[in-house]
Amino acid sequence: MAFTLNSRASAVRRMALFGALALGLQGLAATAFAQGAAWPNKPVSLMVGFPPGGQTDFAARVVANSLGTTLGQGIVIENKGGVNGNIASVEIMRAAPDGYRLLVGNGSMTVTPHVFPKLGIADPQKFTPIGVLLQSPLVLVVPASSPVKTFAQFVELVKSKAKDGKGIDYATPGAGSLVHVATELLRDRLGGPVMNHVPYKGSAPAVVDVMAGRIDAMFDATSVFAPYIKSGQVRPILVTSAKRVETLPDVPTSAEAGVKDFEIISFIGLYGPPGLPADVVKKANAAINVAMKDPAVVKGIKDRADEPGGGTPEQLDTLTRSQYKLWGDVVKANNIHSE
């Protein structure tokens, strides 16, 4: 077959066109790669599903400066409370997986779906795990004005009020929270006496009423109560760790107090939306681990009787899934329902 000048010119033009198209596609791919590699190139928001003052909010704020320094961008804390953190969880579940909106989630994420099975609560196992920020046991406190000085006296109070048909009032950061289910588990361990649940929208407002003596008792993470224990506004009577807390050496563990199978750990983790790119996860996780070596961050966490986190995304994933199963079994076994 003979090639004419025109056909040869057409072929050259086609080859040039294809070459330009190929170069253009390569350029687009390179640009897309560069954009991904450049994360973050603007401030990153950490969504907290509770009001300021609680453990989850503290976890976000204690690492924010270090994360920002490592990542080279500002860190913005967004507090959006409601439905025990689920409003924030759902928002991040639906967020674009670009790394600019992340969730600071707590252990209640693994409880709430079991307590409210019909409300469309976000499944924590579907988030992209990034890393653990901190962990801590729960501590049971009573108001400083309470006559209760020990856990044994607390049990006496619970049973005497239950006998009168009234029951004590206990506060939680919200219905279906880790604290709620933990307190109900304690009630079960004590034989099921009447105890009145008073849910709040976060730990901070609940703590105010405990200090004021309007609530008889409350469980929460050690970091939530540490400042008020130190100031003498609340009295700690029990911790749920396997061993005594270093900053609360006179407070017995649940095992020491005679409460069997009651070792409970609260945790805070950083999560992304489903489908968060692996390179973003890697960078964010590395920043968390840098923060956990920062003396100021470590001191801030330990001063509140918490333990620094860190580790791999896989470790947070394992923790989330194991706690989800554990609390699902507890909710079912103790017939705990939404109110």
Side-chain angles (χ1 to χ4, degrees):
M1 178 178 178
F3 249 126
T4 66
L5 184 60
N6 287 340
S7 63
R8 182 178 293 126
S10 296
V12 170
R13 284 197 297 271
R14 284 198 300 272
M15 290 175 66
L17 179 62
F18 290 149
L21 180 60
L23 287 172
L25 290 174
Q26 287 176 349
L28 286 174
T31 300
F33 177 81
Q35 288 176 340
W39 181 89
N41 55 28
K42 62 181 181 180
V44 176
S45 292
L46 302 186
M47 180 74 74
V48 177
F50 300 89
Q55 187 197 31
T56 311
D57 178 72
F58 164 73
R61 295 180 190 279
V62 76
V63 300
N65 285 340
S66 178
L67 293 182
T69 299
T70 301
L71 296 174
Q73 289 291 340
I75 303 295
V76 180
I77 309 297
E78 292 185 59
N79 293 88
K80 185 169 286 191
V83 197
N84 196 38
N86 192 59
I87 290 178
S89 294
V90 170
E91 192 163 320
I92 297 303
M93 184 70 77
R94 296 172 179 171
D98 57 11
Y100 291 102
R101 300 195 76 202
L102 304 174
L103 177 70
V104 180
N106 65 25
S108 289
M109 293 168 57
T110 65
V111 178
T112 311
H114 303 295
V115 180
F116 300 97
K118 299 179 181 179
L119 292 188
I121 302 297
D123 183 346
Q125 300 171 114
K126 293 182 180 180
F127 288 106
T128 302
I130 297 174
V132 177
L133 299 181
L134 59 82
Q135 300 184 69
S136 68
L138 302 182
V139 58
L140 179 63
V141 306
V142 297
S145 59
S146 172
V148 171
K149 300 292 193 294
T150 66
F151 181 72
Q153 292 176 351
F154 169 77
V155 174
E156 290 176 8
L157 177 66
V158 168
K159 292 185 175 180
S160 65
K161 283 202 171 186
K163 191 175 294 183
D164 294 338
K166 298 179 180 179
I168 69 161
D169 294 330
Y170 74 88
T172 73
S177 63
L178 173 64
V179 168
H180 176 202
V181 176
T183 311
E184 284 297 302
L185 183 58
L186 176 64
R187 187 173 74 87
D188 176 74
R189 294 289 189 269
L190 298 181
V194 175
M195 292 171 62
N196 306 309
H197 178 210
V198 184
Y200 288 77
K201 292 182 178 180
S203 295
V207 171
V208 170
D209 277 0
V210 174
M211 292 191 295
R214 291 187 284 269
I215 293 291
D216 294 304
M218 180 180 172
F219 265 123
D220 213 322
T222 49
S223 59
V224 172
F225 283 119
Y228 311 110
I229 292 172
K230 187 175 181 179
S231 66
Q233 293 170 282
V234 296
R235 181 179 302 117
I237 57 175
L238 185 81
V239 292
T240 63
S241 49
K243 59 182 181 179
R244 294 198 180 198
V245 175
E246 186 177 336
T247 55
L248 301 172
D250 298 326
V251 182
T253 66
S254 49
E256 290 174 331
V259 185
K260 295 181 179 180
D261 301 321
F262 198 70
E263 184 180 329
I264 299 171
I265 297 297
S266 171
F267 73 93
I268 310 290
L270 185 63
Y271 299 84
L276 191 66
D279 62 322
V280 175
V281 174
K282 184 177 180 179
K283 285 185 179 180
N285 175 263
I288 290 174
N289 282 294
V290 169
M292 294 307 140
K293 295 177 182 177
D294 183 329
V297 173
V298 173
K299 184 178 186 302
I301 292 174
K302 288 195 169 185
D303 280 352
R304 291 170 62 107
D306 287 335
E307 286 298 319
T312 66
E314 290 76 20
Q315 287 172 319
L316 175 58
D317 185 51
T318 298
L319 180 61
T320 303
R321 292 178 183 279
S322 64
Q323 290 289 297
Y324 185 81
K325 182 182 185 307
L326 167 67
W327 292 115
D329 292 343
V330 169
V331 167
K332 184 177 180 180
N334 290 277
N335 198 30
I336 300 172
H337 300 293
S338 60
E339 298 177 2

